[in-house]
Amino acid sequence: MIGRICSKRFCRTYNHSLNKDTIPLPIIRSEYAVRGAIAEKAMKMQRQMEDGVKFPFDKITQLNIGNPQNLGQKPISFNREVLASCLIDDTERSRKIFSSDAVDRAEYYLSNLTNRAAGAYSDSTGIRLIMREVKSFIEKRDGVEVNEDQVYLTNGASEGITLMLKLLINDLNDGIMIPIPQYPIYSALITRFNGTQVPYYLDESKGWGMSFEELERSYAEATDKGINVRSMVVINPGNPTGQVLTQEDLNRVIQFAHDKQIFLLADEVYQRNIYVDKEFCSVRKALKELGSPYDDDVELASFHSLSKGLHGECGLRGGFMELHNINDFANAMMYKSKAVALCSNIIGQIGVGLMVNPPTKDTVSKEVFDLYQTQEQEIFNGLKYRANLITEKLNSIEGITCNEVEGAMYAFPQIRLPQSYCDLAHQEGLSPDLKYCLEILSKTGIMIVPGSGFGQEEGTYHFRITNLVNSKSEMTKALDKIGDFTSELMSVHK
Amino acid sequence: MIGRVFSRNFTRTYKHSLNSHTIQESIIRSEYAVRGAIAMKAMEIERQMETGTKFGFDKITHLNIGNPQDLGQKPISFNREVLASCLVDDPERNRMIYSSDAVDRADHYLSHINHRAAGAYSDSTGIRVVMREVKDFIEKRDGVEVNEDNIYLTNGASEGITYMLRLLIKDENDGIMIPIPQYPIYSALITRFNGKQVPYYLDEETGWRMTYEELEKAYFEATAKGVNVKALTLINPGNPTGQVMSQEDLEKVIKFAHEKRIFLLADEVYQKNIYVDKEFCSVRKALHGLGAPYSNDVELASFHSLSKGLLGECGLRGGYMELHNVNEFAHAMAYKSKAVGLCSNIIGQIGVGLLVNPPTEESVSKEVYDLYKKEEQTIFDGLKHRANLITEKLNNIEGVSCNQVEGAMYAFPKIQLPRAYCHLANTLGIQPDLKYCLDILEKTGIMIVPGSGFGQEEGTFHFRITNLVNCSLEMERALDMIGEFTEDIMSQYRYKGVETVKLPHEPILDSEYQTI
């Protein structure tokens, strides 16, 4: 933007020095659809509503993002009591309103902090006691041995993912294999770090399954173009697709990674969100059970988060990353990068401790344990019910088909938009699925994200919607509104 | 590292794909001394202590980092009660143990959050009600008009600084002017983002003053080498140097930035840590005071944090960034970068609200207000007392001279290390000030940071030490130990010829870690 300014001596033009021409191209090209065009439009509408403008709905419903508590999910009481007791270090007072068990657990954490200070920076990798809890958690879950020097506590899984991708990408020729569809932090960051996205397609006709042939095809295509494939991302359970990978699937991925000598990134934040009769198997575990040479060789970073599962504590920003078979030098570089931001927030770190080391029958009173279990079970039941509800309702809408939601917090249905509608969208310079989502937002106040934000087969359109509206009737209502709007669209554009 | 693996079919070598050859140069070259070699050695010592090894001290004292609560500073009660009440949303129960005012303030925040959920992601820029508090704070402090869309709530100031530097550095010829000495997040990130550091030297003789001539010199030197100077960082009060800049100083910087058309980055996290008879003036205010054309033109990012001041809530990771005269497109790019990390943590955000909108006489009960003031005053008095103590004691040590600590949380004394000592360090392959700090650590358990981590005039040596040991007696003791050890070195090495220096048995550092 140019401003003309005349001073007493002379006229000069002052150009912003930070503008489109001077900002790095990769930042300009980087896109993150979850909080992209739909979010911007919604913010505008929100402001208009605040100024009194009337819309055909009374509020915006945010089904665009995996943000459970924003839609009514309650936090787990025990965890919050522990965190509050860590913030106010006064056991006598705390015991007046919190359970003894919660106060004791807070004491356990505080006694391991210098000067019992939750307000002090911790070591850069995290509070050692919690890193040990994470270590025990992984060892117990997977039957492996964990080196606690390879555990990093992070502000959500996002921070760990960012650090790893930054380390892996040297230049434009470095490629990272990502599933299509994928959670767009990967595409956004790969672009931002000036690397190349190497897509491998999940098969919608086979419940979003992954095939070895597809991995090979994707790899070969990239290497033919001169791309140096450095790493592969696996999201299990999938986002936005929700599929749960079997141990056999994982074995194939591991063998592929070993063969190509590429680094595996395992995004496992939804490991507690599984609604079908399948078990979660971590890449770490599959690796261990495959044994030598894989378990000694394959480089792996596994990510977990406090934001999903049954705790849904997105706002606390807690998570961890575990590195396996990582070169010492690389680990030192990782440590260094982490150190510049000092440490992740302490409350989030303690939240991670609570996630990986929950109260058990033997460690807390029956009352506390029962309440904990009840709260978790309610949340799980709600998520499962709505996963099924959403699958059913979406499939009953004309033009929409939806694979069963096996896990995570989303449905990713395919919508067959009429050709005339698509043409209209192209005229407006929009992807048809984006136009669809923008219109859903304008007509119903519901935020969903176009499939183009996650990646999809050429010529197909999808959208991602969460199953997180805490009230069954409200979730049903939202789906009905989408159904009504879509049916109308289909008939108008037939 | 190469592992040889035999399988049934064939022998193959499996190399780590992520190693020193495949990691970006810029990451390898990037250094952050505050948590570098000294921190790594301290961690090693701590582990040895845990397994029973005896040392000449019973604990490590962390005087390397501005981490007040780690050294005994207490948090402000009112703030913690508000935060706890946000986490456990049960006002009736909470009123049994927290003040009504705290519970009410928590309610003020929660009622502005969807479903009163402190556990939900907020908008990427932050919780709107807190952004408004930040807006009001800046407007009141500086007499300016703030657009709340220009405010970003961040995980500490570090996050905002990272975004801005990444936006500003497009290619390797892009340079960022940084004060020498500086807080090494700037040098670390500029290197990491593959830009050029353009140092401008603060003058130790005149209390770490910045001069217009030095800015010009630094600028011309850089441009002569083909560097495209994009921005200038100033830290006020300074870190590690503590100097407080006057409004006149700031006006000079602003005019310089305007003339060269460069972006200003104002790191103002220590604005409440001033121990001398000087007022804090923000760049924002000085800019406004200068009027047109400066106030309409100069692009500015100002950073503040919950980690310093009198609250010292480092672990909560709260902070904000305010952008001024920034192009809309640039804003959109900053917003987009922020969105990928979703949002900064909610507790930290609310902490920022409490920082910028503290309780007043009118808004809370007398009891709560008095306690708040008392707690803040106790902390301030302690910091001020120890700022003076540290200046005095360091100046008493032979070979050490220290400028008056005007503000922030550090002293940055100069130390004249004997030639023979320096020679020994060089033969070991490390900087003399690093050797000094490592020796201090081994002998006393005290962690301080070598001046080379912050930058210093060629041929001089310094170290940074914090004034944060909460107990004045312990602070004195630490300074005494440093004094004794330093005098030992001085007497041991002062008259030694370089040739008579004996090498120790083992190297002090694994050379891999020297660059960290």
Side-chain angles (χ1 to χ4, degrees), chain B residues 38-304:
Chain B
I38 298 292
M40 309 219 59
K41 173 114 195 138
M43 260 164 77
E44 222 180 279
I45 293 178
E46 230 148 25
R47 298 241 200 132
Q48 292 175 336
M49 286 172 96
E50 276 169 22
T51 54
T53 314
K54 291 290 170 210
F55 286 86
F57 45 86
D58 18 85
K59 61 170 181 155
I60 304 265
T61 309
H62 298 214
L63 300 188
N64 60 315
I65 184 169
N67 197 9
Q69 295 188 28
D70 185 62
L71 293 147
Q73 182 176 305
K74 293 288 161 235
I76 303 284
S77 309
F78 176 78
N79 295 350
R80 290 297 184 90
E81 291 189 2
V82 173
L83 296 175
S85 305
C86 287
L87 281 175
V88 183
D89 184 19
D90 189 338
E92 202 182 304
R93 263 202 312 169
N94 289 340
R95 279 185 218 281
M96 286 168 60
I97 64 172
Y98 306 143
S99 73
S100 252
D101 292 316
V103 180
D104 289 343
R105 177 71 86 101
D107 187 68
H108 159 74
Y109 290 120
L110 292 178
S111 59
H112 277 87
I113 298 175
N114 246 356
H115 287 282
R116 301 173 66 84
Y121 295 124
S122 67
D123 285 340
S124 296
T125 42
I127 299 167
R128 202 143 274 276
V129 71
V130 175
M131 285 153 73
R132 276 186 202 130
E133 287 178 309
V134 171
K135 169 185 148 84
D136 289 342
F137 165 75
I138 300 171
E139 290 185 342
K140 196 167 127 197
R141 183 194 66 190
D142 298 340
V144 296
E145 249 184 69
V146 173
N147 180 347
E148 89 194 30
D149 286 336
N150 294 345
I151 295 168
Y152 293 74
L153 300 183
T154 53
N155 283 316
S158 306
E159 187 191 342
I161 293 166
T162 306
Y163 289 137
M164 285 318 302
L165 287 173
R166 196 186 298 126
L167 276 178
L168 285 160
I169 299 171
K170 185 169 183 179
D171 62 52
E172 55 188 27
N173 284 325
D174 284 339
I176 312 286
M177 292 178 70
I178 53 177
I180 297 299
Q182 44 98 48
Y183 172 52
I185 196 178
Y186 295 99
S187 45
L189 290 176
I190 294 166
T191 303
R192 195 199 294 176
F193 298 144
N194 229 3
K196 293 270 185 312
Q197 298 174 33
V198 178
Y200 64 89
Y201 287 80
L202 302 177
D203 186 1
E204 188 162 13
E205 301 304 305
T206 55
W208 301 113
R209 297 264 90 70
M210 159 202 301
T211 67
Y212 197 85
E213 295 69 36
E214 177 56 28
L215 295 182
E216 289 272 354
K217 169 163 171 282
Y219 182 88
F220 282 118
E221 230 173 68
T223 44
K225 288 190 220 157
V227 173
N228 177 21
V229 177
K230 299 285 295 286
L232 182 154
T233 300
L234 65 89
I235 311 174
N236 178 36
N239 176 2
T241 44
Q243 85 287 7
V244 178
M245 294 174 69
S246 66
Q247 190 156 353
E248 292 70 45
D249 289 335
L250 295 173
E251 287 174 354
K252 276 184 227 136
V253 177
I254 290 166
K255 287 180 180 163
F256 174 82
H258 189 260
E259 193 193 298
K260 312 294 191 233
R261 204 163 70 85
I262 60 183
F263 203 111
L264 274 181
L265 302 173
D267 180 338
E268 299 172 332
V269 305
Y270 296 101
Q271 56 188 271
K272 285 204 85 180
N273 302 106
I274 295 179
Y275 314 120
V276 295
D277 193 20
K278 289 184 175 180
E279 291 256 323
F280 170 72
C281 178
S282 69
V283 176
R284 192 68 157 87
K285 179 177 182 175
L287 191 53
H288 180 74
L290 272 177
Y294 311 99
S295 55
N296 299 329
D297 291 350
V298 176
E299 296 152 285
L300 169 66
S302 308
F303 307 101
H304 197 12

